[in-house]
Amino acid sequence: MMTCCPVGPALDAASQFAGDLAPWVITRPDGDRELDLIIPGLCAPESIPLIEGALEQVPGLAAARVNFTGKRVIATWTDPAFNPAGIVEALNELGFMSRPFDPSHSGLDADDAQSRLLLRAVAVSGFAAANIMLLSVSVWSGAEGSTRDLFHWISAGIALPTVAYAGRPFFRSAVRALSSGQFNMDVPISLAVCLAALMSLYETFNHGEVAYFDASVTLLFFLLTGRYLDHLMRARARSAVSQLLSLSASSAMVEEADGSTRIMAATALQPEMKMLVAAGERLAADGVVAAGSSEIDRSLLTGESNPEVAAKGAIVHAGMLNLTGPLTVTVTAAGKDTFLAEIIRLMASAEQSRSRFVRVADRLARIYSPAVHILAATTLAGWLFWTGGDWHSSLMTAIAVLIITCPCALGLAVPAVQAVASGVLFRNGVMIKDGAALEKLSGVDTVIFDKTGTLTLGRPRLVNGASITAASLAIAAGLARSSRHPLSRAVCEAAKARGIAPAIVEDIQEIPGRGLSGLFQGGPVRLGSRKWCGIDENDGQGLPEFVLMRNSRAASIFTFEDELRGDAAAVIAKLKDDGLRVEILSGDREAAVRRAAVALGIERWQAGVTPQQKLAYVEQLKEAGWKVLMVGDGLNDAPALAAGLTSMAPSSATDIGRTAADSIFMGESLLPVLVAREVAIATQRLSLQNFALAVGYNVFAVPIAMLGFASPLVAAVAMSTSSIIVIANSLRLGLIFRQRPASAKVQQPDVPDLAHLERRAA
Amino acid sequence: MTILLVLIPAALALGAIGLAAFLWSLRNGQFDDLDGAAHRILVDEDRPKRSTDGRD
């Protein structure tokens, strides 16, 4: 069910990079040149030596190193005259498509730097915590006098630089929050860590008995671990997403006034330029067809599943797929006027309305951090009153309260579960962009699906194969073999599925908008539209069709339908069983949408919906209090994806769709939608359990601290135990889904026969 | 108690060596490709090894 290579379906012929590599080459400070390439198809570890071995054979290349985690290869060389195109060619020969990318622009570098900073802070605080804890053990076991002072001084020597170094992520965030007049979890953290360190220093100076250095540094260590896990999860998803995005970074072939051609980036296109679009390529800009004729697949833009004929004068948009013939397109729109820009504007405004969502952890922090401060202040005031102005012991007790209540377990509660959850989801073919998406997903009560490309695979399938003779199918496949038209491909697939070899057809010609013609055993054959073959047009059922003509007589009629994802019906049934409201919102024709809705048992559906209407409908549902999960793939879904409480897109979606969606699922199955929801619910349950554990610990520990019984030993043990319990509880998520894979719950063979359902509907 | 003067610096130094080794490996990119490193150990290295650059 899960494909090993996440981007498989996203690759079409146009993905192969054919442009100039020079802009991607980085010159290092030592003069060496470096080129980073993404290899989306890299999924078998056996390929590592294969690729590195092949690249070693490229003359002039100094070194090539595969990064398997990032599906990248880094090639370096010294000679400025070396042509890096050889690298791409060598990879091509091995069967790997590759694309150059700039790590500093894709945001991966910034992510890497941030994660290294956190990891270094974890290492430093871990080292400090272990050593100070050792010294503390000596103090607790009875060191006295000058020996105790010595241990405290050494602890101070380790703790103070550690706090200054490893505490920075929290201090920065706390200062940012305070300067905007807000409280977050980092304010009490910073306060506790700093106060504990300073107070301990004061105690050490005065030969005091107790110091809180160990508590202060251990606190930092646990909190940094939580922060690092949180970051790791988001960075992994982001790198996967940026890989997908870089794949679709498109280029265009431009014809100059003098007739020469050159390849340029899609972003550099200007109006009035002439763009050459070969069959099988996606358009890089909006324009008007100036020459040539072809069929255009606009399903990603409008949801319309049938290709349309485009001849001179036809208006075409970026993102459409040119199917059958070469086109010359005059670019018309640039900048703000494109259809694309309009969609992006809608998306941006929808996203703004969504940013109001507050994560559970932050909601808790809003209550929790003032509570911590009030408790500590109350303790201080109470002790001052009780002891009659003994500042020293009052302050020590107040600090103990701050340390004990510090949201150590709270800081780990959510990131630890979410890190485990993202791993589980990744194995199930879902990439989550951030933890908030999981929280939102768990509360969803409405699922809205787009049809074309989401519920369906976005490619047609022959539905009346049983009534077509083997001979007809062989001839049709022989004709269709050379064509890129989706219906032709469906014919070939049907023939292959029945084990029929394509017949040898000669002199094949493809006429855009009509069909294919050729010679079979000397007689003319045709495969194409009813009109072109001269058959009564009113006879059809509204489904896309091909007629096979042999010797001017209609031999058979091929009927096609956009194939539903294999397990779509089972997934929808399960979602409905769980009490969710399921709807279809599609830009496709009514007949096609109705058929899909009937086949899947979805009562609520709308057809012919524009992107604006989709957005408005989702907003309307949100107003009414529904929590909407939007699942869609096309440009036309992007605003609705951004508007929904949360959203998912298949990896075959447009890059805008993938950017707008909170999570991306891979492969031909719809099951990841179900799995994601189940994992999200389990994650939410475990997070809440963790919160309960952490809060329960506080309820138990705070009175002890307020009464002044919290020795540094009690504080250190209590804090570590609560953190470890929370982490152990989080790891249960991985166990739950290992023993009982979420996918096992859906019975796969339940997929109903479409033809049968159609008869029932009629 | 003078033994402390030897033992404590020794303990701290050992810890510091561990920390330094970790920071060095981090800077050296040993944590850049965790999945790849796990698989590479199983790869038969039967081709002549050429010098690699510092980024490894």
Side-chain angles (χ1 to χ4, degrees):
Chain A
M1 51 148 266
M2 183 195 155
T3 45
C4 162
C5 309
V7 285
L11 277 173
D12 47 51
S15 299
Q16 178 61 14
F17 187 80
D20 187 10
L21 288 166
W24 305 94
V25 175
I26 304 162
T27 307
R28 293 221 219 113
D30 57 5
D32 283 5
R33 309 296 163 102
E34 179 185 309
L35 178 67
D36 289 26
L37 291 159
I38 280 184
I39 308 176
L42 181 60
C43 51
E46 295 77 38
S47 316
I48 299 175
L50 209 67
I51 291 173
E52 289 182 354
L55 290 185
E56 274 184 13
Q57 307 302 319
V58 176
L61 199 60
R65 175 90 183 174
V66 173
N67 183 324
F68 189 68
T69 320
K71 298 186 192 298
R72 277 141 62 181
V73 63
I74 299 158
T76 48
W77 64 93
T78 42
D79 182 9
F82 174 76
N83 181 6
I87 306 170
V88 176
E89 271 167 33
L91 288 171
N92 252 347
E93 272 171 33
L94 288 176
F96 289 108
M97 286 197 185
S98 56
R99 228 165 216 290
F101 86 109
D102 187 346
S104 57
H105 278 125
S106 57
L108 292 180
D109 262 11
D111 263 354
D112 270 7
Q114 175 71 11
S115 106
R116 274 169 201 232
L117 183 80
L118 276 171
L119 197 54
R120 267 202 297 268
V122 170
V124 169
S125 61
F127 160 80
N131 283 290
I132 296 175
M133 200 54 87
L134 269 179
L135 292 164
S136 297
V137 169
S138 318
V139 174
W140 299 331
S141 51
E144 282 187 336
S146 58
T147 317
R148 187 177 61 204
D149 280 352
L150 173 69
F151 286 163
H152 279 167
W153 276 115
I154 297 173
S155 298
I158 304 171
L160 294 176
T162 305
V163 169
Y165 177 78
R168 284 178 305 167
F170 302 104
F171 303 157
R172 263 186 227 140
S173 154
V175 167
R176 218 175 311 144
L178 285 178
S179 60
S180 60
Q182 285 175 330
F183 266 128
N184 64 5
M185 216 71 125
D186 291 334
V187 178
I189 291 172
S190 306
L191 210 58
V193 168
C194 290
L195 277 180
L198 291 177
M199 195 65 198
S200 305
L201 187 66
Y202 173 80
E203 282 293 295
T204 307
F205 215 75
N206 292 317
H207 313 288
E209 268 183 46
V210 291
Y212 283 102
F213 289 122
D214 50 355
S216 147
V217 173
T218 318
L219 186 65
L220 266 184
F221 175 61
F222 280 121
L223 288 170
L224 280 167
T225 310
R227 195 69 45 115
Y228 178 66
L229 286 179
D230 193 34
H231 182 82
L232 203 63
M233 170 190 149
R234 273 184 283 176
R236 176 158 55 181
R238 263 204 300 272
S239 95
V241 171
S242 65
Q243 272 180 41
L244 287 169
L245 287 185
S246 80
L247 267 177
S248 49
S250 51
S251 53
M253 177 88 85
V254 172
E255 190 182 38
E256 304 285 359
D258 60 1
S260 66
T261 60
R262 69 190 169 99
I263 292 169
M264 61 192 296
T267 47
L269 287 170
Q270 295 287 332
E272 298 306 310
M273 279 182 169
K274 290 248 187 291
M275 179 169 75
L276 301 179
V277 188
E281 273 186 6
R282 273 193 200 287
L283 272 80
D286 292 8
V288 176
V289 176
S293 74
S294 176
E295 267 153 303
I296 297 275
D297 176 356
R298 52 200 310 161
S299 61
L300 281 180
L301 274 83
T302 61
E304 165 72 54
S305 49
N306 292 343
E308 253 169 52
V309 180
K312 190 167 162 38
I315 294 166
V316 288
H317 293 292
M320 292 179 176
L321 183 64
N322 180 19
L323 291 170
T324 42
L327 289 176
T328 307
V329 174
T330 311
V331 178
T332 50
K336 286 183 298 194
D337 313 323
T338 55
F339 179 68
L340 205 68
E342 169 66 24
I343 295 279
I344 291 170
R345 266 201 300 280
L346 279 174
M347 212 175 82
S349 63
E351 247 164 13
Q352 267 172 2
S353 75
R354 189 163 68 167
S355 59
R356 275 183 247 127
F357 180 83
V358 186
R359 295 169 67 160
V360 169
D362 295 332
R363 254 180 289 171
L364 256 150
R366 276 189 197 165
I367 310 164
Y368 192 79
S369 61
V372 168
H373 292 114
I374 290 168
L375 272 179
T378 315
T379 311
L380 183 66
W383 272 71
L384 276 177
F385 177 73
W386 191 257
T387 57
D390 179 358
W391 272 97
H392 175 256
S393 58
S394 306
L395 204 55
M396 282 304 277
T397 319
I399 289 175
V401 171
L402 260 185
I403 291 180
I404 291 266
T405 51
C406 222
C408 194
L410 283 181
L412 278 170
V414 175
V417 194
Q418 288 183 345
V420 180
S422 84
V424 170
L425 284 176
F426 201 75
R427 280 198 296 278
N428 282 289
V430 183
M431 291 183 294
I432 292 267
K433 281 191 195 158
D434 72 66
L438 275 172
E439 277 186 40
K440 296 178 196 165
L441 204 53
S442 67
V444 156
D445 56 13
T446 304
V447 188
I448 298 181
F449 286 100
D450 170 45
K451 185 184 76 73
T452 316
T454 308
L455 286 173
T456 69
L457 288 166
R459 60 165 191 257
R461 189 183 56 117
L462 186 64
V463 285
N464 64 340
S467 63
I468 290 168
T469 61
S472 295
L473 195 54
I475 299 171
L479 272 165
R481 197 158 44 161
S482 61
S483 164
R484 275 202 189 83
H485 195 284
L487 297 187
S488 307
R489 290 202 173 166
V491 168
C492 293
E493 267 173 33
K496 209 170 143 193
R498 274 169 65 176
I500 296 167
I504 294 161
V505 181
E506 290 161 329
D507 201 17
I508 298 176
Q509 284 184 328
E510 183 160 18
I511 302 146
R514 295 183 175 175
L516 298 143
S517 66
L519 289 174
F520 175 66
Q521 293 175 348
V525 283
R526 271 183 181 188
L527 183 67
S529 66
R530 278 172 178 263
K531 194 178 174 186
W532 187 47
C533 296
I535 295 185
D536 178 17
E537 278 188 70
N538 301 322
D539 203 24
Q541 309 160 327
L543 287 169
E545 283 175 322
F546 261 175
V547 178
L548 179 71
M549 300 274 288
R550 200 174 161 189
N551 301 325
S552 308
R553 282 198 359 257
S556 27
I557 294 174
F558 295 74
T559 311
F560 302 89
E561 188 168 43
D562 190 4
E563 187 181 1
L564 288 167
R565 286 180 189 255
D567 50 7
V571 169
I572 301 284
K574 181 79 175 70
L575 285 174
K576 283 168 76 179
D577 270 1
D578 290 352
L580 276 82
R581 168 185 168 140
V582 181
E583 297 190 33
I584 298 180
L585 214 53
S586 173
D588 204 353
R589 290 158 302 114
E590 191 177 329
V593 181
R594 181 187 294 130
R595 242 188 322 274
V598 168
L600 296 171
I602 298 176
E603 294 86 17
R604 294 193 181 89
W605 53 269
Q606 294 177 46
V609 189
T610 64
Q612 287 83 351
Q613 287 168 338
K614 282 194 181 196
L615 174 62
Y617 185 70
V618 171
E619 298 276 12
Q620 189 191 325
L621 278 183
K622 264 167 71 184
E623 298 267 306
W626 293 94
K627 294 179 178 126
V628 179
L629 163 64
M630 177 77 204
V631 188
D633 71 324
L635 267 176
N636 57 336
D637 300 313
L641 285 170
L645 175 66
T646 184
S647 48
M648 295 184 84
S651 59
S652 55
T654 45
D655 45 344
I656 303 226
R658 288 190 301 238
T659 315
D662 278 335
S663 44
I664 291 167
F665 64 95
M666 294 167 282
E668 294 201 345
S669 164
L670 199 62
L671 200 58
V673 176
L674 202 57
V675 177
R677 184 169 167 269
E678 282 181 13
V679 173
I681 290 172
T683 306
Q684 197 65 0
R685 202 180 51 229
L686 281 176
S687 299
L688 291 177
Q689 277 174 15
N690 281 350
F691 276 131
L693 283 171
V695 171
Y697 146 81
N698 275 318
V699 169
F700 174 73
V702 167
I704 296 180
M706 285 181 80
L707 293 174
F709 295 127
S711 67
L713 174 68
V714 173
V717 170
M719 213 171 58
S720 312
T721 325
S722 76
S723 299
I724 288 167
I725 290 176
V726 162
I727 291 174
N729 192 41
S730 311
L731 291 176
R732 285 198 316 130
L733 185 74
L735 290 178
I736 294 171
F737 284 95
R738 183 160 305 155
Q739 287 162 357
R740 179 182 58 85
S743 50
K745 282 174 142 188
V746 174
Q747 284 93 37
Q748 206 75 6
D750 250 19
V751 182
D753 178 34
L754 284 182
H756 165 72
L757 271 166
E758 242 163 57
R759 276 197 300 279
R760 206 171 58 183
Chain B
M1 280 310 205
T2 45
I3 188 73
L4 283 180
L5 294 179
V6 181
L7 284 182
I8 289 179
L12 288 180
L14 284 175
I17 289 172
L19 179 63
F22 176 75
L23 292 179
W24 170 82
S25 64
L26 188 64
R27 184 157 314 171
N28 240 288
Q30 310 248 347
F31 287 79
D32 285 356
D33 184 15
L34 292 173
D35 294 350
H39 290 299
R40 270 173 203 275
I41 199 167
L42 301 173
V43 171
D44 288 327
E45 196 96 14
D46 54 359
R47 60 206 162 82
K49 187 84 188 136
R50 289 202 316 195
S51 67
T52 48
D53 60 332
R55 276 179 64 128
D56 248 4

